[in-house]
């Protein structure tokens, strides 16, 4: 174990651009902290990859963020949270060179929050094929709210629509409407839908347009930010290790120029990214 606990920024990891929707909320809720964002754009999407590959890639990313001094890493990616978080927390972190570092995901806070929102306990989840196949939302929500009915629906085309800049185009209307109809056919009583993929908030306007008005649509950014604020209140030993100069640094495994240009549109802010090589 290291003699001095590392101090540094909060690491935020996503397979690509989607986690920027989480970072944005983190910076709004906890603006004083430093953040180091890593997007594995060169290997995205993760949503259709196998359990082992997502776990391997995510472990490499967490290792990289640790090596850059982050004492705490948020997996701001549902697919990575669904497939890799448990293995990282239970098998890898305890035998790493500093087991006091922490890795947190986005599914548990969302499952906790849903109990305060759904009125009739009928919940829908839109997510990648990997997250839906993992049944992570069904399991986490069942632990906390056993009476709830959770219906998942995979939307394999939503991430490519966002990544290709088509979120506001007519193709997005077609697929969003089709997927909403399929979800509501499976459970017409759904009153709350979780956007269980960090890319989906970028399709929010289309989703709202085609979703019946009585259905609440949950975006995860604020939920994750509130949950982190609560975690830091309960864990002052971790809070003390986080530096506070209100900075954000961006890393990508793809071309930094391309990342900077697209990230700026996601964040409404200038972004200068640099390249990270994971192994
Ligand atoms: N950002 C990922 C998630 O939240 C989806 C993108 C991907 O498939 O890589 O699930």
């Amino acid at each position: 174990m290291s003699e001095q606990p590392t101090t540094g920024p909060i690491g935020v990891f996503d397979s690509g651009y989607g986690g920027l929707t989480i970072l944005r909320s983190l910076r709004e809720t906890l603006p004083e902290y430093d953040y180091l964002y890593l997007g594995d754009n060169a290997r995205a999407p993760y949503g259709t990859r196998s359990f082992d590959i997502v776990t391997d890639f995510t472990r490499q990313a967490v290792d990289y963020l640790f090596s850059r001094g982050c004492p705490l890493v948020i997996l701001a990616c549902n697919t990575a949270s669904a497939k890799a978080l448990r293995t990282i927390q239970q098998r890898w972190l305890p035998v790493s060179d500093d087991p006091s570092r922490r890795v947190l995901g986005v599914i548990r806070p969302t499952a906790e929050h849903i109990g305060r929102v759904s009125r009739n306990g009928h919940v829908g989840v839109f997510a990648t094929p990997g997250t839906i196949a993992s049944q992570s939302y069904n399991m986490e929500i069942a632990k906390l709210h056993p009476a709830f009915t959770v219906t998942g629906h995979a939307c394999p085309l939503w991430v490519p629509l966002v990544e290709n800049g088509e979120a506001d185009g007519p193709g997005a209307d077609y697929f969003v409407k089709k997927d909403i109809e399929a979800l509501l056919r499976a459970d017409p009583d759904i009153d709350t839908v979780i956007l269980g993929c960090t890319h989906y908030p970028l399709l929010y306007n289309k989703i709202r347009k085609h979703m019946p008005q009585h259905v609440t649509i949950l975006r995860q950014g604020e939920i994750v930010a509130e949950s982190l604020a609560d975690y830091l209140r309960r864990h002052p030993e971790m809070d003390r290790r986080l530096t506070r100069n209100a900075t954000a640094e961006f890393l990508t495994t793809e071309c930094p120029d391309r990342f900077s240009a697209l990230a700026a549109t996601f964040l409404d802010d200038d972004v200068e990214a640099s390249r990270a090589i994971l192994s």
Side-chain angles (χ1 to χ4, degrees):
M1 200 202 285
S2 326
E3 302 203 335
Q4 288 288 330
T6 44
T7 58
I10 299 171
V12 180
F13 170 66
D14 187 64
S15 58
Y17 297 106
L20 295 170
T21 60
I22 303 280
L23 178 70
R24 189 180 176 135
S25 298
L26 291 175
R27 291 181 76 192
E28 276 163 17
T29 304
L30 298 164
E32 66 275 29
Y33 292 87
D34 296 318
Y35 295 92
L36 181 57
Y37 184 90
L38 171 60
D40 191 6
N41 301 78
R43 303 189 291 195
Y46 279 16
T48 44
R49 290 190 186 272
S50 70
F51 189 97
D52 286 350
I53 293 294
V54 171
T55 302
D56 254 18
F57 288 178
T58 306
R59 193 193 45 71
Q60 290 169 8
V62 171
D63 207 19
Y64 188 88
L65 288 167
F66 280 171
S67 78
R68 294 286 306 261
C70 300
L72 173 69
V73 172
I74 309 294
L75 298 187
C77 173
N78 287 267
T79 310
S81 298
K83 294 191 168 189
L85 182 62
R86 181 186 289 259
T87 307
I88 287 177
Q89 282 178 335
Q90 295 182 358
R91 295 209 214 131
W92 181 68
L93 203 49
V95 296
S96 71
D97 60 353
D98 179 1
S100 68
R101 292 176 297 202
R102 288 288 172 266
V103 182
L104 305 174
V106 291
I107 294 179
R108 175 80 186 191
T110 311
E112 283 168 2
H113 186 84
I114 195 79
R116 300 195 279 277
V117 182
S118 176
R119 300 166 299 277
N120 68 4
H122 285 259
V123 174
V125 182
F126 284 133
T128 64
T131 300
I132 295 299
S134 75
Q135 294 271 306
S136 296
Y137 273 102
N138 306 61
M139 291 187 286
E140 285 299 331
I141 293 173
K143 280 187 221 160
L144 299 167
H145 318 291
F148 277 27
T149 302
V150 181
T151 305
H153 181 79
C155 308
L157 291 166
W158 289 17
V159 169
L161 282 167
V162 171
E163 291 273 327
N164 290 293
E166 291 292 334
D168 296 322
D173 277 294
Y174 175 82
F175 287 108
V176 165
K177 185 164 180 288
K178 186 165 170 248
D179 286 315
I180 288 174
E181 284 169 359
L183 178 72
L184 295 179
R185 256 198 314 278
D187 181 359
D189 293 329
I190 284 171
D191 77 348
T192 308
V193 170
I194 296 169
L195 302 188
C197 169
T198 50
H199 282 67
Y200 297 175
L202 295 149
L203 288 162
Y204 181 82
N205 291 342
K206 300 283 188 201
I207 299 167
R208 186 66 279 171
K209 176 173 156 196
H210 295 292
M211 186 73 79
Q213 279 312 309
H214 71 278
V215 177
T216 304
I217 302 168
L218 280 191
R219 289 173 277 193
Q220 293 177 301
E222 264 176 53
I223 298 171
V224 173
E226 287 304 329
S227 168
L228 179 60
D230 179 54
Y231 177 87
L232 296 177
R233 275 192 295 273
R234 289 183 292 107
H235 294 274
E237 76 291 351
M238 175 55 75
D239 195 38
R240 278 193 294 275
R241 294 174 67 175
L242 302 172
T243 51
R244 293 166 172 76
N245 302 297
T247 65
E249 208 184 316
F250 297 87
L251 300 165
T252 173
T253 55
E254 248 290 352
C255 167
D257 289 348
R258 180 176 146 78
F259 183 92
S260 298
L262 259 162
T265 67
F266 281 54
L267 292 173
D268 296 330
D269 206 354
D270 282 346
V271 167
E272 199 179 319
S274 23
R275 177 105 190 273
I277 297 172
L278 305 185
S279 60

